[in-house]
Amino acid sequence: MNIGDLILVSVDDHLIEPPDVFDNHLPAKYLDRAPKLVPGPNGVERWVFQDMEIGSVGLNAVASWPKEEWSLDPVGMAEMRPGCYDVHHRVRDMDAAGILMSMCFPTMGGFSGRAFNDSADKELTGVVISAYNDWHIDEWCGAYPGRFIPLGVLPLWDVDACIAELRRLAAKGVRAVTFPETPYAIGLPSFQSGHWDPLLKVVSELGVVLCLHIGLGIRLLQQAPDSSVDNFIVIAGQISAITASDLLLGPTLRKFPDLRIALSEGGIGWIPFFLDRADRHHNNQVWTGNRDQRLPSEVFKEHVLACFITDPSGLQLRQQIGVDNIAWECDYPHSDSNWPHAAEELHEELWNANATDEEIHKITWQNSCRFFGVDPFATVPREQATVAALRAGAADVDTSEVSRRVWRERFEAAQAAAS
């Protein structure tokens, strides 16, 4: 298959929330207490909400920056590529890379909405979460129907509130919610505890996918006090093995046969060894009391979508993982993303793995669309959905390296012209 013939659906990207997120969706009586994007020193904004301050680090918004400018330092919108926070520019950046559809995780509340869980006034926070979800569905995704897969956030501190918001989201057509991959890492009950069972029951009944994005699980590891950020970045994806172990070796996946889990940004290379080890333990067990005759690898393939950005070794072992269980992601605009050359890198890895055209279509779009229940061609005809076709319509989009300093200069010039 040629690069231009690929169809790309990314099930893990991120958005940087613009300042007007809550303007049109929060009831008037709450507006004065809504999260606000407040400028700080050097023009770097931070969201302020109930004595919490939430900002964006540079590695979360490096699209088009030269690599020597990447860092963990706080970054303001003026220095970002507009596609980070402006949906119109985002779609143009998707076109330029040849990406048909995208699912975008939040930033201000954390990838799983964890930051909201730390708030003091939970009643207010519940209203804020619903308003955030409405903005994400109606304005971000709604601006370009068929180009995004909506992703909901839940009020994690209350199972009943989670269920109520989940039902509301499902009624709006949402088929995915983000959730902590290791809840106990932030002081919440584990999946094994049974605490989340009422929620998981409704998730299963509604056909919603639980997206477990990497990040929080790293807290479970005691790293060396002098370890660098590199340690975190390299090991973070493999923390998904802990999540898989919690779900697979505990009762959760066997208790809910219709539950679907996406291991977002977890990579796939670790999975063959993990499943081999789990199956061996299953066959050797003498003390766990598990009487289910199905192998863990069989249960995994019934429930899990494993997501990767780039994973040449994992693709070589795709049969052991399950070709129907693998999905691709771009991770725009994070430092792990290979935008705008994702199609080229993905094509090379698939080519080196001797993937067939049938396997390629499954990995690049069919598995994702089946898992999340979306029709990729509902608004974009298939012949216009390929990498070549999308790029042809975005030939004027500049995808070259642009310094954060240049972005700031352009941003300030645009503001001056507008005034």
Side-chain angles (χ1 to χ4, degrees), residues 72 218-219 221-236:
L72 286 173
I218 197 70
R219 300 179 181 206
L221 301 184
Q222 183 175 345
Q223 299 190 76
D226 51 357
S227 63
S228 71
V229 67
D230 306 285
N231 296 61
F232 164 78
I233 291 174
V234 171
I235 200 68

Side-chain angles (χ1 to χ4, degrees), residues 403-419:
S403 167
R404 58 194 297 181
R405 173 186 56 81
V406 174
W407 284 120
R408 175 173 287 279
E409 291 173 354
R410 294 178 181 177
F411 182 88
E412 292 173 347
Q415 281 192 321
S419 61

Side-chain angles (χ1 to χ4, degrees), residues 9-205:
V9 172
S10 172
V11 291
D12 169 37
D13 293 303
H14 298 262
L15 60 89
I16 307 296
E17 292 83 2
D20 62 351
V21 168
F22 301 100
D23 291 359
N24 299 323
H25 302 282
L26 200 63
K29 67 178 182 179
Y30 295 108
L31 283 176
D32 61 334
R33 293 185 288 159
K36 292 180 174 56
L37 196 59
V38 178
N42 302 319
V44 176
E45 307 93 347
R46 295 183 70 81
W47 283 97
V48 176
F49 178 55
Q50 294 190 45
D51 298 325
M52 297 188 297
E53 290 191 4
I54 311 165
S56 296
V57 297
L59 292 183
N60 283 348
V62 300
S64 80
W65 288 4
K67 286 187 177 180
E68 57 268 21
E69 294 186 359
W70 293 12
S71 76
L72 286 173
D73 295 337
V75 58
M77 284 188 174
E79 299 173 307
M80 300 177 190
R81 184 179 181 88
C84 296
Y85 56 84
D86 184 302
V87 68
H88 307 296
H89 285 277
R90 172 62 66 90
V91 169
R92 295 284 283 156
D93 283 353
M94 289 166 58
D95 289 347
I99 297 171
L100 173 64
M101 298 183 74
S102 168
M103 184 164 68
C104 299
F105 284 81
T107 297
M108 68 162 292
F111 304 157
S112 63
R114 174 209 52 84
F116 290 127
N117 192 63
D118 296 337
S119 66
D121 186 340
K122 293 298 194 291
E123 180 182 356
L124 171 62
T125 306
V127 177
V128 165
I129 287 176
S130 293
Y132 180 92
N133 285 331
D134 287 343
W135 169 82
H136 176 80
I137 298 163
D138 300 340
E139 294 195 38
W140 184 269
C141 299
Y144 293 89
R147 300 301 302 273
F148 294 99
I149 302 172
L151 178 69
V153 178
L154 300 178
L156 302 172
W157 60 89
D158 186 323
V159 173
D160 290 338
C162 282
I163 292 172
E165 182 64 6
L166 176 65
R167 291 191 182 281
R168 193 183 73 86
L169 292 173
K172 290 172 70 77
V174 174
R175 291 294 175 265
V177 291
T178 182
F179 199 83
E181 84 274 30
T182 50
Y184 53 98
I186 55 171
L188 294 171
S190 69
F191 290 113
Q192 297 97 319
S193 70
H195 174 84
W196 303 107
D197 284 3
L199 172 64
L200 298 180
K201 181 176 183 292
V202 178
V203 167
S204 302
E205 291 173 351

Side-chain angles (χ1 to χ4, degrees), residues 320-350:
Q320 288 91 320
I321 299 166
V323 176
D324 292 335
N325 298 85
I326 300 173
W328 173 78
E329 53 197 11
C330 182
D331 199 34
Y332 178 107
H334 284 191
S335 58
D336 256 349
S337 176
N338 46 16
W339 181 92
H341 307 298
E344 285 76 14
E345 293 191 23
L346 177 60
H347 184 269
E348 181 179 3
E349 290 187 12
L350 291 165

